[in-house]
Amino acid sequence: MLLKTFGWSMALTAVGFAAAGFLWGWSGLAVVAILSILEISLSFDNAVVNAGVLKKMNAFWQKIFLTVGVLIAVFGMRLIFPVAIVAITAKMGPIEAFNLSINHPDHYKELVTAAHPAIAAFGGMFLLMIFLDFIFEDRDIKWLGFIERPLAKLGKLDLLSVMVALVVLVVASFTVAKHVGHGGGDESSTVLLAGILGLLAYLVVGGISGHFEEQLEEQEEKDEEEEKEAEASGRKPVSAVGLAGKAAFFMFLYLEVLDASFSFDGVIGAFAITNEIFPMALGLGIGALYIRSLTVYLVRKGTLDDYVYLEHGAHYAIGALAIILMITIEYEINDVITGLIGVVLIGASFWSSVRRNRNEAVAGGDGEGGSGAGPGPSEPAAVTSE
């Protein structure tokens, strides 16, 4: 399973490292390796969230995610995106911006850094909406019940996620966006506009995806009824094949926008290591390959079903990343800190899942049984609400 899922990533890593060593020497190889590790550490929570969406899609669209999706992630976000940002913000042509990135990397870095407030506001709002919609939804399984229970009750208010996100955006525009960078420039209007665009992007893409997800749930309920009828009549039941067609396309689009939002901090943080666009794209691209492979591995192994708090931990990490992105509009936060926050939250949720499974196994052995819909009866109250 590991070789089948990660084989392409390992092979392309070997090719990429060999190319880096040949083109840029040992120093270039070291830069590419560091950037690969940086991307993986910053985007592990992305893999967990992606897996929650990808498992609803059929095998064909899962392959599309691994092939076409990787090309978009590597060439689109890690190579073309920084050039496009410079072209837009500096009001120059894309070819001129690309030439600038190759011939004048220091000036190119300055222009990308100058665009950071808009990038952070857009990505921060998109990720914040993902977290808020998750935390305000009433779920059968709760990880941190003392937080999630009251928030689920508040979540019954219409458009609460949007209202909270807008409040965060307004506060950011009048605080961290007032004195940005060494020049102390006012980026309030830029942050407001970019944040609203990020919010709109989530509402449009997420709304369409959510519509098709609801259709899928209705279809699943219908399939369950048909399977019961088929079993009762002795006919062979027909299994569902997952999202396909338009539904899968919009889910795929949602995944790509989600990946773009996660990649913002990695692309910006990469400039602290190198100004060279090609080593940067190669290193971040290799990291993106492993994140994609990890997503598919989680789906094929059914990890999210076995470790039910992983999605919770990933969404908490998303919420933390959203706030960090907003703070970095004015203040610099080391990428190591950003990556560690995500790793710690996901690690804690994984350990809680292991404890839950262990307690359910003990309870089942005692004849009390534990349903897969919630934590076992002996789970500590500090960890779950059930």
Side-chain angles (χ1 to χ4, degrees):
M1 172 66 77
L2 278 173
L3 184 60
K4 181 179 180 182
T5 306
F6 290 91
W8 276 105
S9 298
M10 294 176 182
L12 291 174
T13 298
V15 173
F17 281 3
F22 177 76
L23 294 172
W24 306 301
W26 289 107
S27 60
L29 174 59
V31 165
V32 169
I34 291 170
L35 288 173
S36 301
I37 296 171
L38 172 69
E39 180 70 9
I40 293 171
S41 64
L42 289 175
S43 301
F44 186 80
D45 44 357
N46 188 10
V48 178
V49 176
N50 281 352
V53 179
L54 194 66
K55 69 180 183 180
K56 302 169 185 176
M57 301 166 71
N58 64 15
F60 171 79
W61 279 97
Q62 290 181 8
K63 290 180 181 178
I64 292 293
F65 175 77
L66 264 181
T67 52
V68 177
V70 164
L71 293 177
I72 294 173
V74 174
F75 294 102
M77 286 308 302
R78 277 76 181 180
L79 183 62
I80 298 175
F81 168 73
V83 175
I85 287 295
V86 168
I88 294 171
T89 55
K91 297 180 180 179
M92 62 176 65
I95 296 177
E96 185 182 358
F98 184 73
N99 289 333
L100 184 70
S101 68
I102 297 175
N103 301 317
H104 303 282
D106 291 335
H107 184 45
Y108 173 75
K109 174 187 175 180
E110 291 176 2
L111 293 176
V112 173
T113 303
H116 177 67
I119 297 170
F122 182 95
M125 281 298 100
F126 190 93
L127 294 177
L128 183 61
M129 282 299 299
I130 294 173
F131 169 70
L132 291 174
D133 275 353
F134 181 87
I135 203 69
F136 284 141
E137 184 177 344
D138 190 10
R139 299 176 179 277
D140 295 332
I141 297 176
K142 296 179 176 63
W143 180 33
L144 304 178
F146 64 95
I147 295 176
E148 295 169 15
R149 277 195 302 269
L151 290 179
K153 292 179 181 178
L154 289 174
K156 295 178 181 179
L157 298 173
D158 291 337
L159 300 177
L160 180 62
S161 297
V162 176
M163 290 186 287
V164 172
L166 286 174
V167 168
V168 171
L169 178 60
V170 170
V171 170
S173 66
F174 284 99
T175 53
V176 293
K178 276 293 184 181
H179 305 286
V180 176
H182 301 295
D186 188 346
E187 296 284 351
S188 300
S189 58
T190 300
V191 168
L192 271 175
L193 177 60
I196 289 173
L197 289 176
L199 181 61
L200 287 174
Y202 174 83
L203 293 176
V204 172
V205 180
I208 294 173
S209 301
H211 167 71
F212 285 113
E213 190 173 353
E214 290 178 1
Q215 287 190 340
L216 173 65
E217 291 174 354
E218 293 175 0
Q219 183 63 42
E220 285 177 345
E221 293 177 0
K222 182 180 178 182
D223 290 341
E224 287 178 3
E225 294 178 0
E226 291 179 354
E227 285 180 8
K228 290 178 181 178
E229 293 177 359
E231 290 176 359
S233 61
R235 291 183 288 109
K236 184 178 180 180
V238 179
S239 59
V241 295
L243 278 174
K246 291 182 180 178
F249 171 76
F250 282 108
M251 278 292 185
F252 172 77
L253 182 61
Y254 174 76
L255 283 174
E256 292 307 314
V257 177
L258 178 63
D259 176 77
S261 299
F262 271 101
S263 68
F264 289 152
D265 60 330
V267 171
I268 298 299
F271 279 98
I273 300 171
T274 181
N275 297 341
E276 301 291 337
I277 186 171
F278 290 115
M280 182 188 301
L282 180 58
L284 296 178
I286 289 173
L289 285 175
Y290 280 95
I291 293 300
R292 294 288 167 130
S293 297
L294 179 60
T295 299
V296 174
Y297 180 79
L298 293 174
V299 172
R300 290 175 178 172
K301 289 288 289 184
T303 305
L304 298 186
D305 295 327
D306 294 335
Y307 302 98
V308 295
Y309 299 138
L310 272 180
E311 280 193 275
H312 294 73
H315 280 86
Y316 279 107
I318 287 174
L321 177 58
I323 298 302
I324 287 172
L325 277 173
M326 302 304 291
I327 294 174
T328 58
I329 291 173
E330 181 176 1
Y331 303 102
E332 184 175 346
I333 296 179
N334 194 292
D335 288 329
V336 174
I337 296 174
T338 305
L340 281 177
I341 290 174
V343 170
V344 168
L345 286 168
I346 293 175
S349 64
F350 175 79
W351 178 242
S352 295
S353 300
V354 171
R355 292 174 61 192
R356 171 189 183 273
N357 294 344
R358 188 181 300 160
N359 289 334
E360 284 200 340
V362 171
D366 293 339
E368 296 176 5
S371 70
S378 58
E379 182 73 5
V383 177
T384 91
S385 65
E386 299 295 313

